[in-house]
């Protein structure tokens, strides 16, 4: 058996790194039927072609823990798609986050409404660790129990009959686009041309891939990548008459709408608006799709945001909080829609793997509990009233709106100075809308004491807006 000894107490400075040489070691060993064993030793030194100082095993990690170092390294090696806050987070516990400098933050961003159970929930962690030690991934060539069980639970708790799993919210919306087109083709009769167009609304956000991007209202998101998918008409959010008239023309395959707009600015639909969409879609044969990627799964105090309106869709897309921070998306559909979908119409290598589905089961178990949902409603009312008391009299605050624990503070000036001041004071919040709205989407487990703390910091930092 061949043995390679590597020293950890040697500065390796030769500059002839050739990756294929390392592959040849294993390849040559395989030819003689032996597998090489790599042993770490501090007694012997071998020459290697790496420019790495390995004086201490954690030297590189320690050097990178300083905020400036990490930010500089990110700028060198990652594609610049994110305007990040100058904050390097290291760990989380409950509703608190800690950076590499040891500073503590109260997290009212929750990974953009993802960490519904906060950071490090014990039951979620147990589900992840146990499943990771059992079976992580098989692809969708085979059946796995966590995936089937999660689909069963989602169906049992919703309007839906079947589920398709994806990896994100944008992927869920991409699938819904395809399902709508396929459904219309499947149901078209007498040689009629199936409807292929879509309706979306002002201030909406459905994702960044080309299909979902075509359904996203902000022009600046779409323009650099045009032409995007054609056939999308944007109407004013809440304009039932305009939507009804367009749907009746018979060219609309599906209407995509968020019952509560998150990215768009925490705008809530009315029952009349959603019911009008439902009625018009039924009459014309169009499908109604509710995007609950951000507002669903307990954030409003209802398991599904549309339950507050008693209006139900043909499809619903989910993602953010479902697996507690692991990547997952889902499309919930009626049997009528599912009957149009055949083998090979859509798919995903990673989607719905056992690890993320077992994590999602742990999340769903907690969020779907009636007492848990009731506590979200109670805390949401408490927090909104508290914010109105503390902030409502400020001339820059136009409105405080939302339901449950998805709340927006509408300002008459850009919100970014306030967001920065909050961060410097130990509170993490987000912007939304056109940059003038402070978005508050804390973990659903947040306590009233922590909400008090958040309101206090918001109140204390509000004065920064006077300079803008």
């Amino acid at each position: 058996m061949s043995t390679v000894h590597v020293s950890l107490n040697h500065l390796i400075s030769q500059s002839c790194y050739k990756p294929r040489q390392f592959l040849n070691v294993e390849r040559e060993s395989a030819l003689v039927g032996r597998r090489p064993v790599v042993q770490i030793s501090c007694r012997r030194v071998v020459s290697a072609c790496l420019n790495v100082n390995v004086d201490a095993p954690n030297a590189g990690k320690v050097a990178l823990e300083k905020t400036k170092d990490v930010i500089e390294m990110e700028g060198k090696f990652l594609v610049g798609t994110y305007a990040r806050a100058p904050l390097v987070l290291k760990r989380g516990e409950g509703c608190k986050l800690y950076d590499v400098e040891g500073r503590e933050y109260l997290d009212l961003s929750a990974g953009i409404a993802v960490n519904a159970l906060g950071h490090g929930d014990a039951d979620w962690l147990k589900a992840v660790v146990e499943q990771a030690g059992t079976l992580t991934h098989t692809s969708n060539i085979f059946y796995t129990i966590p995936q089937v069980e999660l689909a069963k639970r989602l169906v049992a708790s919703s309007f839906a009959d079947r589920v398709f799993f994806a990896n994100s919210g944008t992927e869920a919306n991409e699938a819904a686009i395809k399902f709508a087109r396929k459904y219309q083709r499947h149901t078209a009769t007498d040689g009629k041309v199936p409807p292929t167009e879509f309706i979306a609304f002002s201030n909406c956000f459905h994702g960044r891939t080309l299909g979902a991007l075509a359904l996203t209202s902000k022009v600046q998101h779409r323009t650099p990548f045009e032409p995007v998918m054609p056939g999308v008409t944007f109407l004013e959010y809440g304009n039932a008459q305009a939507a009804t008239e367009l749907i009746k023309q018979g060219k609309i395959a599906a209407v995509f709408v968020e019952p509560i707009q998150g990215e768009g600015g925490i705008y809530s639909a009315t029952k009349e608006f959603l019911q009008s969409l439902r009625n018009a879609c039924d009459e014309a044969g169009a499908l109604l799709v509710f995007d609950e990627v951000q507002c669903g799964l307990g954030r409003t105090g209802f398991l599904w945001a549309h339950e507050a309106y008693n209006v139900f869709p043909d499809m619903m897309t989910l993602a953010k909080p479902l697996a507690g921070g692991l990547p997952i998306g889902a499309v919930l559909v009626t049997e009528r829609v599912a009957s149009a979908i055949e083998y090979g119409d859509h798919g995903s290598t990673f989607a719905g793997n056992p690890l993320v589905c077992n994590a999602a089961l742990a999340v769903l178990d907690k969020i779907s509990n009636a007492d848990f949902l009731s506590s979200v409603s109670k805390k949401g009312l408490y927090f909104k009233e508290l914010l109105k008391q503390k902030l409502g009299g400020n001339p820059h605050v136009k409105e405080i709106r939302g339901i449950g624990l998805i709340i927006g503070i509408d300002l008459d000036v850009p919100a970014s100075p306030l967001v920065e001041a909050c961060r410097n004071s130990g509170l993490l919040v987000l912007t939304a809308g056109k940059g003038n709205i402070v978005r508050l989407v804390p973990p659903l487990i947040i306590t009233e004491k922590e909400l008090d703390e958040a309101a206090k910091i918001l109140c204390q930092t509000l004065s920064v807006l006077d300079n803008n």
Side-chain angles (χ1 to χ4, degrees), residues 23 29 54 74-75 111 175 178 241 279 351 370 390 395 433 446 450:
L23 296 177
S29 298
V54 289
E74 188 270 354
K178 290 181 67 176
Q241 182 178 349
N279 294 342
K390 289 186 173 292
I446 197 165
E450 288 170 324

Side-chain angles (χ1 to χ4, degrees), residues 51-68:
N51 294 315
V52 180
N53 188 335
V54 289
D55 282 345
N58 294 319
K61 181 179 178 182
V62 171
L64 270 178
E65 283 190 348
K66 293 181 179 179
T67 299
K68 182 181 177 183

